[in-house]
Amino acid sequence: MPSTSRDADRGEAVRPADPTGSMPPPARSQTMSLSSQSATPAGSQGQPVPGILSNADNVEIEDFNNASISKTVAVKDTPVPRPADLDIGPALKPLFFYSDEEVKELVDSETLCALFAPLPASLLREVVATRSRMRQEAETERQVQREKDKEVDASIRVKLLGSMEMTNPIERNLGEAKDIVIPTIYLLNIRNRYPPPLHFFTNHRIEQIHNAPQTIHTKVMRPFEMDGDLVEKVQLLDLAKMIPLWGNNDTFECLSPLHFLEASKNLLTCLKLLSRAPTEPDGADHPTSNSTNHAIEYGKHLEFFKQVEDFEDTYPLWYKFERDARLDIIMGNVVFNWPKYAARVDVILQSQRALMDSRRRWHPAPATKLARTTYDGDVGTARNPTHSWFFRDSAPACLLCGKTHWFPDHPGNIAMFDDGKPLFTRLAGNQLVIAKSTKGGAIKKVCGVFNLNRPCDNRHGSDALHICSLCGGDHPALARFSSCLRIANGQFHT
């Protein structure tokens, strides 16, 4: 009986058939190779089948091939003589094709693997091996990056060590106010009609601009009506982002009365820097001409509100008017007008007083035999409610001559009282100074807050004297003490 193809596939020697049946069965070859039968044929190279279908088919094909391979392997363990029906497994089937993109998706997603489960064992081994290799590569990259970071840190440390040295050290005296340097970005904002709110000008915020610029939001824009050839964009404070961080100035809560004065002083310094000519020294009075500018008008504006009676108590009442008037000067080129300011603030305060009086009618004060006192502390009848309680008088009193005008508006050609005696003080910018020249030509300043009969916190240090601006006595000018040489019967003797 001729041999079959299956016999040839098993790799056994072909022997002729024994017609008598006396020939013993062929012995199993000890060198029989099963590799050709256990190898999985190459996958299909046609169009890939959709994942869920190819997975199910591949699992079924893999089970079929494993069963066939098991039969083939079992030939080794078949006893001699072999059964007549012994046969190796059927031919193996090829697996369906997986594209590189599909394999990568399975490697990247555990969820996708769970969705397409069960996966063929060969594909699952490839996914696991790829993930393991990727983890090792990622860990290697992390180790390399850590080594690089250590090298960078060591390099930075070498540069940092010994880098902080004091240049131009100064001595600070106790009680001396710090020198505040206005940030250039503030000057650019004001010059480009984008002024920061007043509470941005406190010492704390200005120091934050200098010391922590990384916390500041800025934006770049073209300058507004800049003269000359400067057409490059400038960096400004981005108020749209900074106001949510630092708050707005819509109400008086943004600043305490003390911080209001502090921020206003810094804003005035900023306007002075913008108003002076580039050739003028920093210490010069601004401006040198008789023309007005934003610094002059805002200086008058600020001094006006410093003279408001009961400054700290009335501050919440007139703050909104002060804010609007301040913006008019900075943005709208509006000049200061004392009568209009006084009338507006007087109306505000009188309205508040009328409201308080109406509430007081429901809670009348208890009867008493004590004499009622006036606002100035003299025994007598109550002050006429129609009289202004904004100033001690219905009109201001000049700290230089005592007449009824505001001292920044004092005429420059008047240097004597009406009796022919020289004025004790004069104006240098918005600062009171002693009019009489001193030895060495030094200028002695006189404290204006003290002469307004208000508490002074001595922020000016020893530069300004606490003496009367009218006579040089040790009392405030507006206190109207009888010891003042320019006071007669409680009124100024000009």
Side-chain angles (χ1 to χ4, degrees):
M1 178 178 180
S3 63
T4 64
S5 61
R6 289 182 180 271
D7 294 329
D9 290 341
R10 284 200 300 268
E12 298 181 3
V14 179
R15 303 174 67 88
D18 183 12
T20 63
S22 60
M23 183 179 293
R28 179 167 55 89
S29 174
Q30 300 300 322
T31 61
M32 183 177 66
S33 174
L34 301 177
S35 60
S36 61
Q37 300 296 327
S38 61
T40 303
S44 173
Q45 299 301 318
Q47 292 296 328
V49 179
I52 192 67
L53 298 179
S54 62
N55 278 336
D57 291 339
N58 282 339
V59 169
E60 182 178 350
I61 291 172
E62 197 171 59
D63 291 342
F64 174 85
N65 290 343
N66 289 337
S68 177
I69 293 172
S70 297
K71 290 182 180 180
T72 302
V73 172
V75 173
K76 290 183 177 182
D77 303 324
T78 302
V80 178
R82 292 177 296 174
D85 60 348
L86 178 65
D87 191 9
I88 60 174
L92 302 183
K93 298 179 179 180
L95 297 173
F96 285 98
F97 171 73
Y98 286 99
S99 66
D100 293 339
E101 291 76 10
E102 290 175 329
V103 175
K104 184 177 184 303
E105 290 177 356
L106 293 173
V107 170
D108 295 338
S109 175
E110 289 281 357
T111 304
L112 200 60
C113 289
L115 180 63
F116 288 165
L119 299 177
S122 58
L123 177 62
L124 190 59
R125 285 195 296 269
E126 182 179 356
V127 169
V128 172
T130 304
R131 288 177 180 172
S132 177
R133 184 179 68 255
M134 292 174 62
R135 283 194 295 269
Q136 292 177 358
E137 292 175 353
E139 180 62 26
T140 302
E141 289 181 2
R142 284 194 292 268
Q143 292 179 357
V144 172
Q145 186 61 39
R146 281 195 291 266
E147 294 298 327
K148 290 182 178 179
D149 292 342
K150 289 181 180 179
E151 293 177 1
V152 172
D153 182 77
S155 176
I156 294 176
R157 184 176 179 84
V158 170
K159 295 179 180 179
L160 286 176
L161 295 179
S163 62
M164 292 189 64
E165 297 181 359
M166 297 188 69
T167 57
N168 301 323
I170 59 174
E171 294 183 0
R172 182 169 300 283
N173 297 326
L174 294 178
E176 182 181 357
K178 291 183 179 180
D179 293 332
I180 299 299
V181 179
I182 302 298
T184 303
I185 197 170
Y186 278 17
L187 301 176
L188 288 170
N189 270 69
I190 294 178
R191 181 62 185 86
N192 287 276
R193 302 296 182 89
Y194 198 44
L198 183 61
H199 62 285
F200 282 36
F201 286 86
T202 60
N203 294 349
H204 170 68
R205 292 305 185 189
I206 290 178
E207 290 176 355
Q208 187 172 350
I209 292 285
H210 289 303
N211 300 332
Q214 69 276 9
T215 65
I216 308 304
H217 295 283
T218 60
K219 67 177 183 178
V220 177
M221 62 180 293
R222 295 193 179 278
F224 178 83
E225 295 181 358
M226 292 293 288
D227 298 331
D229 299 330
L230 181 60
V231 294
E232 296 182 358
K233 293 183 178 181
V234 293
Q235 189 177 46
L236 304 180
L237 203 64
D238 192 349
L239 299 183
K241 295 181 179 179
M242 291 303 301
I243 288 178
L245 293 178
W246 289 1
N248 57 43
N249 65 342
D250 292 342
T251 61
F252 70 92
E253 286 91 348
C254 66
L255 288 169
S256 66
L258 181 60
H259 286 150
F260 170 83
L261 295 176
E262 177 184 276
S264 299
K265 177 184 175 183
N266 292 334
L267 175 58
L268 179 59
T269 302
C270 187
L271 293 175
K272 286 181 178 180
L273 293 173
L274 290 171
S275 300
R276 70 179 178 86
T279 56
E280 294 179 13
D282 289 340
D285 295 330
H286 313 309
T288 56
S289 63
N290 294 326
S291 62
T292 188
N293 57 34
H294 295 83
I296 291 177
E297 298 304 322
Y298 182 69
K300 296 177 181 179
H301 166 97
L302 179 58
E303 290 298 328
F304 171 86
F305 285 100
K306 285 182 179 180
Q307 293 190 54
V308 176
E309 195 68 36
D310 296 330
F311 173 84
E312 294 186 0
D313 295 334
T314 59
Y315 166 71
L317 303 178
W318 49 256
Y319 170 78
K320 287 188 176 181
F321 168 65
E322 186 280 332
R323 180 200 61 195
D324 295 339
R326 179 195 336 127
L327 291 178
D328 287 342
I329 293 175
I330 298 175
M331 301 286 292
N333 295 328
V334 177
V335 297
F336 171 80
N337 186 295
W338 190 94
K340 293 183 179 180
Y341 271 56
R344 178 66 181 275
V345 174
D346 193 44
V347 169
I348 294 173
L349 300 184
Q350 287 290 356
S351 300
Q352 181 66 18
R353 184 172 183 177
L355 178 62
M356 294 173 61
D357 288 343
S358 64
R359 292 176 178 175
R360 197 177 295 115
R361 293 170 189 167
W362 298 99
H363 303 282
T368 177
K369 294 183 179 180
L370 296 177
R372 300 182 66 184
T373 58
T374 63
Y375 187 81
D376 292 329
D378 299 329
V379 176
T381 58
R383 174 168 286 205
N384 186 344
T386 61
H387 185 75
S388 172
W389 65 313
F390 172 40
F391 292 101
R392 290 183 178 272
D393 295 306
S394 57
C398 179
L399 297 181
L400 281 74
C401 64
K403 292 185 177 181
T404 55
H405 58 257
W406 194 48
F407 78 90
D409 293 330
H410 180 81
N413 58 346
I414 298 179
M416 293 187 296
F417 292 104
D418 290 345
D419 57 7
K421 293 184 179 180
L423 299 180
F424 181 75
T425 55
R426 64 178 178 85
L427 276 179
N430 284 326
Q431 177 65 50
L432 293 172
V433 298
I434 296 179
K436 185 178 179 180
S437 60
T438 58
K439 293 182 179 180
I443 296 177
K444 291 188 177 181
K445 299 179 181 180
V446 177
C447 179
V449 177
F450 172 80
N451 279 283
L452 292 173
N453 198 21
R454 298 190 180 281
C456 177
D457 58 5
N458 290 315
R459 282 179 292 170
H460 49 64
S462 60
D463 293 342
L465 303 175
H466 284 181
I467 59 176
C468 177
S469 60
L470 297 174
C471 69
D474 58 354
H475 52 264
L478 295 189
R480 295 177 173 82
F481 288 164
S482 58
S483 58
C484 182
L485 300 179
R486 287 294 162 182
I487 294 296
N489 297 324
Q491 300 295 328
F492 288 111
H493 178 61
T494 59

